[in-house]
């Protein structure tokens, strides 16, 4: 199988060992071969010649002008528009030929990505099973007797089977997460509005969002950053300030034991318990909480007038050949009136308030991506109930305006994969990705049909628009006298790490409270100095810097892993009268010794 990870392809292109033309030729062969195994993945494939033409176009450009996704193959769910291509929404014939490319897809193409095709889905993105399509039912890549998950079924299988580096799905009720869990890949459900839904056929327009399938959170997060952007043509597009999360010892909420259900799947329950134990070994604090308001929120999606929003989108197409289950769900929505809609809005807001109060006790939620997985024949026999079961831990997320990432969490004894999902506040996508990546690597650092080791490097924290990371070394550390200058500015502790080895460390003379000085010496090779990384809103950074006295200041500090962050440095004049304490390796060790 081809290694399609972002860094592997970029390295191969840079060295000349691979070209986009060679890649797409090999990829076409791989897609042809997999179609013999599962013919239901694709609804529309880009022809080999068109792919070669796109590759040649990219190769003709100057190397310096290559976009961040140069030559990266991807797929999109067939409810996402691409100019000149049919959009079917899983109907037997195209509903239309798209005149324009969706905003997010265009961002990917502009970055040099290569679209290989449009994938199968539960019709009108209604379902979590992946079997409600006239184009067939894409199957779990590990056992064809089992569902692949929906509604973004084909998009997940395309990535898991090694037919694309990443793909777009959509996620209203869990469609970007359940198929990820069933196919041993990552599913990223961003904050609603972060990725434009212009050119995306709606399911529930007020709740919809594009989702990303990838082999690693690191790859998926990079794709999100390229695809996102404020779109004035999308009334639900937004670009709010990122919400930081603590990357050091976060508090993780899990439902109380009697509120966890796996519908008899004891292997899934065991794997979830293992995930919780692993989170604890990462230093994460586990907090149980009352899941009932979240469950009640989830039930609103299909059990109230919210479902009528699907009718609003599909009503002009009720004369089409609809899948019987899809038709039943959508036509039943006609029984709600405007009064019901307002009552559903009120109920959702009441639950939102209750859930927000409960969430004050933790930073993130950890839940199973899905409580179990079903055979295709079982879903066909009981399509509504089993579909509903699969959304047990997903349906509440968009209604509560949260973000989520599903990651692989190992395999049952029968060879079927299991996934868990981290759920964070809206706009916490940047930090959430880092934590999800750590959990993935701690639980099961592999992915895809071949269960291959992760090729992408571990995802590390970085500054986001509206946030700045500050490296502190002394009196601003957690528990130290000046730490409040950070916390009162809504700064969040990200992690504890060390500087590069060429830093010396000093105890400053006559400093009240006692403070250290950090200075770089290119000719020095030491232990590195222990530091904390804090992230604060950019608008608070200026007032923080204004508090810093001479001889200290803010400069750029290089960390042991090569990252550069803003942090405390010391003028040479201050070091001249200071005592070197580099051998302590950090301020805490020095202060502990001084107090002894």
């Amino acid at each position: 199988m081809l290694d399609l990870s972002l860094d592997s392809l970029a390295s191969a292109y840079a060295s000349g060992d691979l070209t986009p033309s060679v890649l797409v030729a090999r990829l076409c062969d791989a897609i042809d071969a997999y179609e013999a195994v599962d013919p239901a993945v694709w609804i529309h494939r880009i022809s080999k010649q068109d792919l070669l033409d796109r590759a040649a176009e990219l190769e003709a450009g100057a190397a310096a002008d290559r976009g961040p996704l140069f030559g990266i193959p991807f797929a999109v769910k067939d409810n996402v528009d691409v100019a000149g291509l049919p959009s079917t929404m899983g109907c037997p014939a195209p509903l239309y030929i798209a005149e324009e490319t969706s905003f997010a897809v265009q961002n990917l193409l502009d970055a040099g990505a290569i679209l290989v095709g449009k994938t199968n889905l539960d019709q009108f993105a209604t379902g979590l099973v992946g079997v409600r399509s006239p184009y067939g039912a894409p199957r779990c890549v590990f056992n064809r007797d089992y569902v692949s998950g929906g509604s973004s079924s084909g998009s997940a299988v395309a990535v898991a089977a090694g037919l694309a580096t990443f793909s777009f799905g959509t996620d209203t009720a869990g469609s970007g997460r359940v198929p990820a869990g069933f196919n041993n890949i990552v599913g990223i459900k961003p904050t609603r509005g972060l990725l434009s839904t212009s050119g995306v056929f709606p399911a529930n327009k007020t709740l919809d969002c594009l989702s990303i399938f990838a082999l690693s959170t690191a790859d998926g997060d990079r794709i999100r950053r390229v695809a996102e952007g404020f779109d004035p043509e999308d009334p639900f597009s937004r670009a709010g300030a990122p919400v930081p999360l603590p990357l050091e010892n976060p508090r993780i909420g899990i439902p109380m034991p009697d509120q966890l259900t796996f519908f008899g799947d004891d292997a899934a329950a065991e794997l979830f318990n293992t995930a919780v134990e692993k989170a604890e070994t990462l230093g994460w604090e586990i907090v149980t909480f009352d899941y009932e308001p979240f469950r009640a929120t989830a039930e609103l999606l299909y059990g109230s007038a919210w479902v009528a929003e699907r009718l609003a989108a599909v009503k002009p197409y009720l004369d089409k050949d609809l899948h019987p289950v899809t038709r039943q769900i959508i036509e039943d929505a006609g029984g709600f009136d405007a009064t019901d809609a307002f009552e559903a809005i009120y109920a959702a807001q009441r639950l939102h308030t209750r859930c927000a109060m409960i969430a004050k006790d933790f930073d993130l939620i950890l839940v199973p991506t899905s409580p179990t997985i079903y055979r295709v024949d079982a879903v066909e026999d009981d399509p509504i109930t089993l579909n509903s079961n699969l959304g047990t831990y997903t349906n509440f997320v968009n209604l509560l305006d949260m973000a989520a990432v599903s990651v692989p969490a190992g395999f049952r004894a029968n060879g079927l994969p299991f996934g868990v999902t981290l759920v964070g506040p809206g706009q916490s996508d940047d930090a959430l990705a880092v934590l999800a990546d750590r959990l993935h690597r701690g639980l099961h650092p592999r992915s895809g049909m071949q269960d291959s080791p992760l090729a992408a490097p571990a995802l590390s924290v970085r500054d986001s628009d509206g946030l700045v990371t500050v490296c502190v070394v002394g009196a601003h550390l957690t528990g130290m006298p000046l730490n409040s200058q950070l916390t009162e500015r809504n700064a969040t502790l990200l992690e504890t790490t060390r500087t590069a080895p060429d830093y010396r460390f000093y105890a400053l003379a006559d400093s009240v409270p006692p403070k250290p000085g950090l200075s770089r010496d290119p000719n020095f090779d030491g232990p590195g100095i222990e530091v904390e990384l804090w992230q604060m809103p950019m608008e608070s950074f200026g007032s923080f810097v204004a508090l810093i006295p001479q001889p200290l200041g803010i400069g750029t500090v290089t960390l042991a892993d090569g990252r550069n962050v803003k942090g405390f440095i010391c003028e040479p004049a201050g070091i001249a009268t200071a005592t070197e304490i580099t051998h302590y390796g950090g301020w805490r060790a020095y202060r502990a010794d001084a107090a002894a």
Side-chain angles (χ1 to χ4, degrees), residues 92-353:
L95 294 192
Y96 55 83
I97 304 297
E99 296 183 358
E100 297 182 3
T101 297
S102 68
F103 181 92
V105 171
Q106 190 61 56
N107 286 346
L108 301 174
L109 295 174
D110 291 344
I114 300 176
L115 178 66
V116 297
K118 303 187 75 179
T119 54
N120 203 353
L121 69 155
D122 278 325
Q123 193 175 66
F124 286 110
T126 301
L128 288 172
V129 286
V131 303
R132 301 171 183 171
S133 170
Y135 299 92
R139 307 301 178 98
C140 169
V141 298
F142 296 97
N143 188 328
R144 286 181 46 75
D145 291 335
Y146 287 80
V147 297
S148 61
S151 61
S152 307
S153 51
S155 289
V157 172
V159 171
L163 311 180
T165 296
F166 70 94
S167 64
F168 266 167
T170 59
D171 191 318
T172 302
S175 299
R177 290 161 279 160
V178 170
F182 289 176
N183 292 282
N184 196 41
I185 59 175
V186 168
I188 296 177
K189 190 221 77 67
T191 299
R192 289 189 288 109
L194 205 58
L195 272 64
S196 168
T197 53
S198 288
V200 179
F201 193 92
N204 290 69
K205 195 171 183 62
T206 61
L207 301 176
D208 292 341
C209 70
L210 282 169
S211 64
I212 299 164
F213 295 108
L215 295 177
S216 70
T217 308
D219 277 5
D221 187 61
R222 287 165 64 181
I223 298 304
R224 174 184 65 82
R225 290 169 183 269
V226 173
E228 69 184 19
F230 180 74
D231 176 12
E233 298 302 315
D234 175 9
F236 297 98
S237 182
R238 55 181 172 171
V243 172
L245 295 171
L247 302 188
E248 187 88 356
N249 305 320
R251 295 167 302 160
I252 307 299
I254 63 170
M256 291 188 292
D258 62 350
Q259 295 177 326
L260 284 165
T261 181
F262 296 90
F263 300 101
D265 191 339
D266 293 338
E270 183 177 345
L271 285 166
F272 181 68
N273 288 335
T274 299
V276 173
E277 292 169 1
K278 173 55 67 174
E280 289 183 298
T281 68
L282 293 174
W284 300 2
E285 179 185 353
I286 302 301
V287 179
T288 58
F289 71 94
D290 180 9
Y291 186 67
E292 174 56 28
F294 295 82
R295 184 202 60 78
T297 302
E299 290 186 350
L300 287 176
L301 196 58
Y302 285 99
S304 75
W306 283 103
V307 73
E309 194 171 17
R310 292 182 182 265
L311 177 60
V314 178
K315 191 173 183 179
Y317 305 101
L318 289 178
D319 61 337
K320 300 293 183 181
D321 187 8
L322 266 61
H323 187 281
V325 178
T326 307
R327 181 176 292 280
Q328 176 186 339
I329 292 169
I330 292 173
E331 290 188 341
D332 284 353
F336 294 101
D337 61 20
T339 301
D340 297 324
F342 280 107
E343 289 178 349
I345 292 171
Y346 304 152
Q349 189 58 45
R350 285 193 298 270
L351 287 166
H352 192 291
T353 301

Side-chain angles (χ1 to χ4, degrees), residues 374-442:
Y374 293 118
R375 296 174 61 93
V376 173
D377 53 7
V379 170
E380 290 175 341
D381 288 342
D382 190 0
I384 301 294
T385 301
L386 299 193
N387 183 95
S388 177
N389 292 349
L390 296 184
T392 299
Y393 303 109
T394 59
N395 285 6
F396 70 88
V397 176
N398 277 347
L399 278 163
L400 295 180
D401 196 18
M402 304 181 83
V405 180
S406 172
V407 299
F411 286 81
R412 301 165 174 86
N414 64 5
L416 291 170
F418 178 74
V420 295
T421 297
L422 278 178
V423 183
Q427 304 289 0
S428 68
D429 303 74
D430 296 347
L432 181 63
V434 175
L435 290 165
D437 185 62
R438 289 181 185 173
L439 184 61
H440 184 184
R441 293 174 191 278

Side-chain angles (χ1 to χ4, degrees), residues 524-560:
F524 181 68
D525 186 12
I529 306 303
E530 185 178 83
V531 298
E532 287 181 353
L533 301 185
W534 288 74
Q535 197 168 61
M536 70 170 63
M538 188 70 74
E539 61 266 22
S540 301
F541 185 57
S543 66
F544 175 71
V545 173
L547 297 174
I548 300 171
Q550 287 183 313
L552 300 176
I554 293 290
T556 300
V557 176
T558 301
L559 303 178

